[in-house]
Amino acid sequence: MEILGIDIGGSGVKGALVDTEKGELITDRLRIPTPQPASPKAVIGVVKEIVDHFDYQGPLGIGFPGVVMDGVTKTAANVDNGWINYPAARNIALTTNCEVVIRNDADVAGIAEMYHGAGSGIPGVVMIFTLGTGIGSVMFVNGHIVPNLELGHLYLRNMKKDAEYFCADRVRTENDLTWKEWGKRLNIYFQYIEFLFSPNRIIIGGGISKKHKKYLKYLDLQAEVVPAKLRNEAGIVGAAMAALPGVD
Ligand code: BGC
């Protein structure tokens, strides 16, 4: 099916038409900077702009950078607090006239990787992390998703802060960290993840996945660590796939 997928991020809102069987974008990606403050009204205005740009009608899949339960956004770490307990699916549907499925951004990126990417056919515990403005996380156990995991907010005791304030990609760029400095931070985080969850495979996604050769070498883990196959497109592809009936 051809479905419009939209990935709402802390810095950009991105959308494209997706061939959900192939797991590929079939149009160029349209990226519009996330309005600041990223209030529901302002961001939904951008979502509408993207829907209009593609002249789209049909099921609309959206990834959102926070916890989402039954179409209601529950948290808002990197967007405006107005999204907390906000009936997002209902209000986006009213604005766009599309049927809307909205889920956590890492959950949908994980769905794309499990169906079409580096998680395809992998049994056991597969964890996918997106490193960007924040850290998104999702876990699949024998192909079944554990949604809304929020491991970017795991508290790193020795660092005295949430993991995403220590080693998200934004922290690397804002603090001018070298790849080695950042890689060592990631190693602290992922060793802790490994201690807690014993994953068989860890998939690293987000925009930074294409530069994996620069930092994956600093990770010393038992789990197999691989870059996301869909790279940064997993967010849009997975958002579209989430709108398919029966996809979990
Ligand atoms: C949010 C997560 C989200 C991640 C990546 C975190 O700050 O709490 O829900 O998946 O950022 O956007």
Side-chain angles (χ1 to χ4, degrees):
M1 256 181 105
E2 290 183 10
I3 294 185
L4 180 60
I6 296 185
D7 182 18
I8 298 176
S11 59
V13 184
K14 293 145 273 178
L17 282 176
V18 173
D19 177 331
T20 53
E21 269 91 52
K22 292 192 182 144
E24 287 171 6
L25 305 193
I26 47 183
T27 60
D28 281 344
R29 197 178 77 128
L30 174 65
R31 180 187 190 278
I32 299 178
T34 307
Q36 301 299 339
S39 65
K41 193 163 175 252
V43 173
I44 291 174
V46 170
V47 168
K48 168 100 168 72
E49 238 181 288
I50 295 176
V51 171
D52 290 348
H53 169 87
F54 289 101
D55 197 13
Y56 184 76
Q57 288 171 325
L60 172 61
I62 300 184
F64 174 80
V67 172
V68 187
M69 293 174 77
D70 300 324
V72 176
T73 49
K74 297 283 184 182
T75 66
N78 293 307
V79 283
D80 185 80
N81 280 347
W83 288 95
I84 297 173
N85 287 322
Y86 182 78
R90 191 190 67 196
N91 287 355
I92 297 172
L94 285 172
T95 307
T96 58
N97 281 321
C98 293
E99 262 173 65
V100 173
V101 172
I102 180 165
R103 292 180 63 172
N104 173 263
D105 55 0
D107 287 2
V108 301
I111 288 171
E113 283 296 323
M114 293 304 285
Y115 274 82
H116 296 294
S120 170
I122 308 293
V125 176
V126 178
M127 300 184 84
I128 296 140
F129 293 85
T130 58
L131 307 175
T133 309
I135 296 182
S137 56
V138 60
M139 176 159 74
F140 290 82
V141 183
N142 290 325
H144 297 287
I145 192 168
V146 180
N148 290 313
L149 212 53
E150 291 300 313
L151 297 178
H153 298 286
L154 201 70
Y155 192 71
L156 297 178
R157 277 167 297 177
N158 295 343
M159 308 306 147
K160 296 199 170 28
K161 54 175 83 160
D162 284 17
E164 75 174 27
Y165 305 129
F166 177 63
C167 57
D169 189 42
R170 173 176 44 183
V171 178
R172 179 185 67 82
T173 51
E174 284 183 357
N175 295 287
D176 260 334
L177 298 180
T178 62
W179 290 110
K180 187 173 180 186
E181 284 166 337
W182 188 58
K184 285 181 160 183
R185 288 189 180 203
L186 288 178
N187 193 40
I188 292 173
Y189 176 55
F190 284 119
Q191 284 194 343
Y192 192 34
I193 291 286
E194 178 150 76
F195 170 68
L196 293 174
F197 298 99
S198 302
N200 298 90
R201 176 176 281 206
I202 294 178
I203 301 172
I204 310 284
I208 201 68
S209 53
K210 57 179 176 288
K211 298 201 177 138
H212 60 95
K213 291 213 170 81
K214 298 192 187 286
Y215 57 90
L216 287 190
K217 58 187 173 202
Y218 299 111
L219 301 189
D220 179 18
L221 301 168
Q222 307 280 318
E224 205 187 347
V225 185
V226 296
K229 202 164 156 197
L230 282 87
R231 305 286 193 250
N232 207 18
E233 286 174 2
I236 296 176
V237 171
M241 290 183 65
L244 287 172
V247 164
D248 202 21

